[in-house]
């Protein structure tokens, strides 16, 4: 064999070895990477957690503008002083239930009681003077008919009667004013409710306009909120409003719209509305923040979370689990509930169907899937 022929054979053997090595490396990398779209070895199902699925259910879905505000009692009154006096007695405390007309505070009435007694005496004197003047007039009228006195004397008696009547009216007005002032020393509840604030204590000196006691009726609460002007078509008097209230995260409350402001805020283009809701059992208290929504439209329908729907294509789709395998289903959507992040499905799925959520929607169509059982075992 020539030297040149041996070199050719050695070159061919080296080339063949290189090709085999490249193929082996490629095969090894492929085995390490795996095929993302390939089914698991042995056709074993992909296991997903229960948080990656949802069962389609038929439930009430609502839509309407959102609103928020602060709760306050429907009826609230702050009783203020109407005269200058010292507080001599307090009969209530904050949080106490009171009946309509119940005595809450007493103010010093010594000076006013003296004024009332003086005014009553003035009335008695004026009544006596009027009686005397009337008798004098009657006597003069009789004497005039008999021609015993002149017309001038009768006119004077008539003027005296008129003056006596005026004095009596003045005295009666002063007595009524004194009695009114006397009644103002007794501070009573304007309606049945709960004392939310007591601003004064015994010994304090108050003047007209001083806040004394605040009484609220918590049986009905109100929410003052705003809605965008473009949402007014969905807001009507009597429309139901669903509330979630701070402090009660697991409870929902329902009220009704009672008033709609006829003028929008020129700065925000928001319209103020008032919603009223019953406070059965006195659960709610004033000052809590409430977040709600006007239920302008509602009905029963199959509902799924919005995260289960893929709307990137020409038609929205969901990935449904049927007979243990994934399949894509085109759906027709209806109402959307922004508060609960759910959407109505009018066609494509039915109550009882299982659809995938989150990352599980990326599983290839036709892949067998198994849902693992939830576990609450603590490690």
């Amino acid at each position: 064999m020539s030297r040149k022929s041996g070199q050719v054979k050695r070159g061919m053997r080296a080339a063949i070895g290189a090709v085999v090595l490249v193929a082996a490396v490629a095969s090894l990398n492929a085995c390490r990477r795996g095929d993302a779209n390939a089914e698991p070895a042995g056709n074993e199902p992909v296991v997903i957690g229960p948080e990656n699925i949802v069962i389609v259910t038929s439930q009430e879905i609502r839509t309407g503008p959102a609103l928020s505000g602060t709760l306050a009692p429907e009826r609230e009154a702050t009783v203020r002083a109407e005269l200058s006096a010292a507080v001599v007695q307090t009969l209530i405390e904050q949080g106490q239930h009171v009946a309509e007309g119940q005595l809450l505070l007493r103010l010093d009435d010594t000076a006013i009681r003296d004024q009332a007694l003086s005014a009553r005496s003035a009335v008695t004197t004026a009544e006596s003077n009027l009686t005397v003047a009337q008798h004098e007039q009657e006597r003069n009228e009789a004497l005039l008919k008999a021609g015993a006195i002149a017309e001038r004397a009768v006119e004077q008696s008539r003027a005296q009667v008129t003056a006596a009547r005026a004095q009596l009216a003045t005295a009666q007005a002063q007595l009524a004013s004194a009695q009114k002032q006397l009644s103002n020393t007794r501070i009573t509840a304007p309606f049945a409710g709960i004392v939310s604030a007591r601003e004064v204590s015994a010994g304090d000196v108050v003047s007209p306009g001083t806040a004394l006691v605040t009484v609220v009726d918590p049986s009905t609460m109100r929410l003052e909120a705003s809605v965008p002007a473009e949402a007014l078509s969905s807001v009507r008097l009597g429309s139901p409003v669903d509330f979630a209230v701070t402090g009660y995260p697991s409870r929902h409350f329902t009220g009704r719209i009672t008033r709609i402001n006829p003028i929008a805020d020129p700065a925000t283009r928001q319209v103020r509305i008032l919603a009223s809701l019953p406070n059965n059992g006195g659960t709610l208290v004033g000052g809590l923040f409430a977040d709600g929504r006007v239920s302008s439209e509602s009905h029963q329908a199959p509902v799924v979370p919005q995260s289960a729907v893929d709307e990137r294509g020409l038609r929205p789709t969901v990935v449904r689990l049927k007979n243990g395998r994934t399949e894509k289903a085109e759906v027709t959507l209806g109402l959307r509930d922004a508060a609960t992040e759910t959407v109505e499905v009018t066609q494509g799925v039915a109550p009882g169907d299982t659809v995938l959520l989150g990352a599980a929607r990326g599983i290839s169509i036709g892949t067998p899937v198994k849902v693992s059982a939830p576990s609450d075992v603590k490690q």
Side-chain angles (χ1 to χ4, degrees):
M1 180 182 300
S2 65
R3 182 178 180 181
K4 184 176 181 179
S5 176
Q7 291 176 345
V8 171
K9 289 182 179 181
R10 285 196 299 272
M12 292 177 64
R13 286 196 297 268
I16 293 172
V19 171
V20 172
L21 178 60
V22 170
V25 172
S27 176
L28 179 61
N29 290 337
C31 291
R32 289 177 177 174
R33 290 195 310 268
D35 190 346
N37 296 325
E39 294 183 4
N43 203 31
E44 293 182 0
V46 174
V47 180
I48 61 175
E51 69 277 3
N52 293 121
I53 65 168
V54 66
I55 307 299
V56 180
T57 58
S58 180
Q59 63 188 57
E60 186 176 31
I61 185 168
R62 298 182 176 184
T63 183
L67 48 83
S68 60
T70 303
L71 288 176
E74 187 76 25
R75 288 203 299 171
E76 179 177 356
T78 298
V79 183
R80 299 180 181 275
E82 297 188 36
L83 72 163
S84 296
V87 179
V88 296
Q89 189 178 19
T90 59
L91 303 173
I92 44 83
E93 297 293 340
Q94 291 186 11
Q96 181 176 334
H97 288 263
V98 294
E100 182 177 357
Q102 179 178 334
L103 183 63
L104 308 178
L105 303 173
R106 286 184 58 247
L107 304 181
D108 185 12
D109 62 355
T110 304
I112 300 174
R113 190 172 295 278
D114 292 342
Q115 292 175 6
L117 290 175
S118 176
R120 189 176 297 279
S121 298
V123 169
T124 302
T125 301
E127 288 175 343
S128 178
N129 293 337
L130 177 60
T131 301
V132 171
Q134 287 175 334
H135 289 166
E136 183 68 19
Q137 179 186 0
E138 291 172 357
R139 185 165 48 251
N140 289 340
E141 293 283 356
L143 292 174
L144 178 64
K145 290 180 180 179
I149 61 174
E151 180 73 24
R152 182 177 180 181
V154 175
E155 291 177 353
Q156 289 177 346
S157 63
R158 290 173 182 171
Q160 291 175 351
V161 169
T162 301
R165 285 200 179 105
Q167 290 176 353
L168 177 59
T170 301
Q172 289 174 335
Q174 291 175 347
L175 176 61
S177 176
Q179 289 176 334
K180 174 64 175 175
Q181 290 289 82
L182 192 60
S183 67
N184 289 337
T185 64
R186 296 172 54 86
I187 309 303
T188 58
F191 49 79
I194 298 177
V195 177
S196 65
R198 195 196 73 191
E199 307 292 347
V200 296
S201 300
D204 292 344
V205 177
V206 299
S207 56
T210 302
L212 303 176
V213 179
T214 300
V215 179
V216 300
D217 178 8
S219 61
T220 305
M221 307 296 286
R222 74 173 186 270
L223 174 69
E224 184 174 353
S226 299
V227 297
E230 57 268 19
L232 276 180
S233 60
S234 303
V235 178
R236 303 178 185 85
L237 289 177
S239 296
V241 181
D242 294 330
F243 293 97
V245 180
T246 302
Y248 301 92
S250 59
R251 294 187 59 182
H252 287 273
F253 303 88
T254 301
R256 298 279 176 178
I257 294 178
T258 56
R259 278 173 280 178
I260 302 175
N261 197 318
I263 300 176
D265 189 309
T268 63
R269 299 302 175 187
Q270 300 272 319
V271 178
R272 304 292 290 179
I273 67 170
L274 282 178
S276 175
L277 68 155
N279 187 20
N280 298 327
T283 303
L284 300 174
V285 297
L288 294 180
F289 183 79
D291 190 9
R293 182 193 54 193
V294 180
S295 298
S296 56
E297 184 178 356
S298 64
H299 57 260
Q300 290 286 131
V303 173
V304 299
Q306 293 182 2
S307 59
V309 183
D310 185 358
E311 300 185 67
R312 294 174 296 180
L314 294 178
R315 293 196 59 184
T317 61
V318 298
V319 178
R320 178 170 53 190
L321 188 59
K322 190 171 185 180
N323 297 326
R325 291 181 178 271
T326 57
E327 67 173 16
K328 182 177 292 187
E330 293 185 347
V331 293
T332 303
L333 305 180
L335 294 180
R336 297 175 184 267
D337 189 342
T340 60
E341 296 183 348
T342 55
V343 60
E344 173 191 3
V345 181
T346 59
Q347 291 181 352
V349 295
D353 286 352
T354 302
V355 297
L356 303 187
L357 299 174
R361 289 194 301 143
I363 298 175
S364 299
I365 302 304
T367 301
V369 172
K370 179 180 179 181
V371 181
S372 63
S375 173
D376 59 354
V377 178
K378 295 182 179 181
Q379 300 295 332

